[in-house]
Amino acid sequence: MPGVSARGLSLEQRKQLAVNLTRVLARYRSILDAYIIEFFTDDLWRTLPRSWQEALDGLNPPQLATQLLGMPGEGEVVRYRSVWPLSLLALKSTACALAFTRTPGFQTPSEFLENPSQSSRLTAPFRKHVRPKKQHEIRRLGELVKKLSDLTGCTQVVDIGSGQGHLSRFMSLGLGLMVKSIEGDQRLVERAQRLDQELLQALEKEEKRHPQAVHAGPRHSPHHVVRWVEPTALCEELLLPLETLPQSGARLLLTGLHACGDLSVALLRHFSCPEVVALASVGCCYMKLSDPGGYPLSQWVAGLPGCELPYRLREGACHALEEYAKRLQKAGPGLRTHCYRAALETVIRGARPELRRPGVQGIPRVHELKIEEYVQRGLQRVGLDPQLPLNLAALRAHQAQENRVVAFFSLALLLAPLVETLILLDRLLHLQEQALPFS
C-alpha cells in the first residue's frame, strides 16, 4: 500500500511527520482507545459520526477490505455504493499517506510457490522444526546480516533474544558467520543446543551424500549464553568477543528477530557502544514497552503534545492490517468472533458489573457455535455460572450487528499503522539525536 519512506526524508521532514502523526492520532483517539469487546456495552457504533455510520452500515467484509482499507481483491475495482463523507475519505487517505510504506501481504513469496510449507531458498536441514513464516524471516534477515557483516568488517554477530536459535543456526552454520546467541530462558537455550547438534549431524550426512554441494570450510555452531539483556543497563556479556582478537578489537553486529518490547530498545541503546558497528533489528510486541522508558526515546517526540501511546494503542499497532484485509476478502465465519465476544461482555456485566474485560481463553471452533452456546462456554471460562438465564432476543440482536462490529474494528486497524510508524520514527529520531549512523 502507498505510504512514506523514512529513507527519503530529511531530519526536518521526519520531525514534521512526527508532528502530523501525533495530531492525527489525537483526533481519532476515541476509535483507537476503544476495546472492541465493549462494542455493545459502550455503544461504540453511536460514537461514530452519523454520516460515517450511514456510509459503513451494511457493507459486507469484502466491501470493507476494498472500500475502507483500500485493499481490493485481485482484479477487483473499487466502487462505492454511496457518496462517502469527506471526513471519512480524508481519514482513509491520511492513514495511507502518513504510514511507513508496507509491503502488501496478498502475494505469496516466490520461495513458497512450489510448496507453501517449505522455502525453496532454504535447504532441508535448515527448514526442519521451522514454520514457513519463520523460514522466510530467518532467510531474509540472515542474508541482510551477512551483507552488513561484509560491509562493516564485523568480527562477530550477536543474536539477542535468540529463542530456539533458528536465526543463529542459519547465520552460523548456513552463512559461515561467528555468532553469539543471548537468551534469558534456560529451557529455550537447552532446546537450541539440542537443535544445533541435530543440524550438525544432518549437515554431515548431507556432505557425505553430496560432497560437492556442501559449503566448504570449518563450521562454527552458535555460542549460547543464558542472560537477560536489560533495556537501560549495558550488558558486558553482549560485548565480549568469542575469541582473541588483534589490537583493533571486536567489531560487533547486533541483531534481533522479533525483539519483543524493551528488547528492541536495549538493542538501540547498545548501538551506541564503540564495539558495535551495525544493527539489524526487527521489533515486535510494542504493548510490552516500558512506560516510560521504552517510548518515547527521542527528545523531539517526547516534547510533542499528544505523543502518549498507552497500552491499548500500542497493542493495536501489533495487528497486521494486510492479514485482516485478506480475512475480510474471504468473508469467513471466523470474523464473527469479535461480535460474539462483545455479546458475551454484555452478559458478564449483567451478572457482575464490576467484572470488566476478563480474559477469555480461546474457545475452539467458534464459527460452528450458536451465539448462546458461545456465551455459555465463555461464562464458564471466567468463573460464572454457564446456566445463567440468557436473553436470547438480545443476543440475536447483537449477532445481527456483526458487520458493524467488523466495520468498527476495521477503522481501528486502518489507524494502527500510524501508531507503529510513530514508534519507529521515534527510534530513528533518537538515533539521529545521538549522532549515530543508520539507514
Side-chain angles (χ1 to χ4, degrees):
M1 62 186 294
V4 60
S5 171
R7 180 176 297 180
L9 300 180
S10 67
L11 174 59
E12 290 306 314
Q13 288 173 322
R14 287 173 177 163
K15 288 183 176 181
Q16 185 58 51
L17 177 58
V19 171
N20 294 340
L21 286 167
T22 54
R23 288 175 177 172
V24 171
L25 294 175
R27 183 177 183 87
Y28 299 107
R29 190 65 174 269
S30 61
I31 296 174
L32 289 162
D33 278 337
Y35 285 84
I36 197 65
I37 64 175
E38 295 178 328
F39 184 84
F40 300 118
T41 58
D42 290 11
D43 202 3
L44 295 182
W45 186 251
R46 294 188 185 277
T47 65
L48 299 176
R50 183 62 180 268
S51 59
W52 289 25
Q53 296 177 36
E54 294 173 354
L56 298 174
D57 203 10
L59 293 183
N60 59 37
Q63 289 171 329
L64 285 169
T66 300
Q67 298 177 27
L68 180 61
L69 302 186
M71 296 184 180
E74 186 175 352
E76 185 178 2
V77 178
V78 179
R79 291 189 176 92
Y80 295 95
R81 65 171 192 172
S82 62
V83 178
W84 278 24
L86 290 178
S87 57
L88 183 54
L89 291 173
L91 168 62
K92 175 182 171 181
S93 298
T94 301
C96 293
L98 295 185
F100 282 157
T101 302
R102 301 162 67 92
T103 302
F106 295 106
Q107 294 182 350
T108 301
S110 59
E111 61 194 295
F112 294 103
L113 292 179
E114 295 181 4
N115 187 332
S117 298
Q118 296 184 357
S119 168
S120 61
R121 299 184 63 179
L122 276 180
T123 57
F126 290 100
R127 295 195 301 256
K128 192 173 183 181
H129 306 296
V130 185
R131 294 182 178 181
K133 176 176 177 290
K134 198 64 172 284
Q135 293 176 23
H136 176 73
E137 291 170 342
I138 65 174
R139 182 190 65 78
R140 289 291 300 273
L141 183 56
E143 291 176 352
L144 172 63
V145 168
K146 173 62 172 154
K147 290 180 181 177
L148 286 174
S149 175
D150 293 340
L151 287 171
T152 59
C154 105
T155 58
Q156 176 181 307
V157 175
V158 184
D159 182 7
I160 301 179
S162 54
Q164 298 183 52
H166 298 307
L167 174 63
S168 292
R169 272 187 296 281
F170 177 61
M171 292 189 299
S172 58
L173 297 174
L175 300 176
L177 297 170
M178 186 75 70
V179 179
K180 178 191 287 187
S181 304
I182 297 183
E183 168 59 48
D185 190 327
Q186 175 74 42
R187 294 169 300 175
L188 292 179
V189 171
E190 292 173 355
R191 166 76 169 162
Q193 290 171 330
R194 290 195 296 270
L195 293 178
D196 289 351
Q197 294 305 310
E198 183 179 313
L199 178 58
L200 280 170
Q201 293 172 4
L203 291 175
E204 289 174 0
K205 291 180 180 178
E206 187 74 17
E207 185 175 10
K208 291 178 180 178
R209 286 195 296 265
H210 308 285
Q212 72 284 354
V214 178
H215 174 72
R219 292 196 181 100
H220 300 282
S221 295
H223 175 73
H224 295 280
V225 176
V226 181
R227 180 72 178 263
W228 290 103
V229 177
E230 299 296 332
T232 54
L234 294 179
C235 175
E236 293 182 1
E237 176 62 48
L238 182 149
L239 301 177
L240 290 176
L242 290 174
E243 57 186 27
T244 304
L245 296 168
Q247 285 188 336
S248 57
R251 294 176 61 82
L252 307 179
L253 189 158
L254 307 185
T255 191
L257 177 58
H258 300 168
C260 182
D262 283 344
L263 195 55
S264 56
V265 177
L267 282 165
L268 290 170
R269 295 193 187 281
H270 281 80
F271 190 38
S272 63
C273 298
E275 297 91 340
V276 179
V277 296
L279 168 66
S281 173
V282 181
C284 70
C285 299
Y286 304 123
M287 66 283 195
K288 295 183 180 180
L289 288 168
S290 297
D291 186 13
Y295 168 89
L297 293 177
S298 69
Q299 296 177 13
W300 176 258
V301 172
L304 295 177
C307 73
E308 300 82 6
L309 296 178
Y311 178 93
R312 177 69 191 92
L313 273 69
R314 289 182 276 120
E315 189 274 335
C318 297
H319 290 277
L321 175 65
E322 297 81 8
E323 287 299 314
Y324 192 70
K326 285 197 292 185
R327 291 180 59 192
L328 292 177
Q329 288 289 356
K330 294 178 180 178
L335 290 171
R336 69 177 52 139
T337 302
H338 285 310
C339 182
Y340 274 25
R341 178 62 184 88
L344 170 61
E345 189 72 9
T346 65
V347 180
I348 293 172
R349 300 277 181 95
R352 286 185 56 187
E354 75 282 4
L355 187 59
R356 302 173 64 85
R357 301 194 296 266
V360 178
Q361 295 179 352
I363 297 176
R365 308 188 75 80
V366 172
H367 60 281
E368 296 180 357
L369 300 177
K370 295 180 180 179
I371 191 168
E372 60 268 27
E373 294 173 333
Y374 173 89
V375 168
Q376 289 171 339
R377 296 189 188 187
L379 289 172
Q380 189 172 20
R381 295 290 176 90
V382 299
L384 296 176
D385 182 3
Q387 300 305 318
L388 283 175
L390 301 177
N391 184 336
L392 294 182
L395 291 178
R396 296 280 187 272
H398 292 330
Q399 187 173 9
Q401 298 186 60
E402 178 181 315
N403 282 352
R404 287 183 174 181
V405 178
V406 173
F408 193 95
F409 188 70
S410 298
L411 277 173
L413 278 194
L414 180 64
L415 290 162
L418 299 185
V419 180
E420 182 178 34
T421 297
L422 182 57
I423 293 172
L424 298 178
L425 184 62
D426 170 59
R427 295 175 180 181
L428 292 177
L429 290 170
H430 166 74
L431 292 177
Q432 287 192 276
E433 290 173 354
Q434 303 297 315
L436 295 171
F438 64 93
S439 63

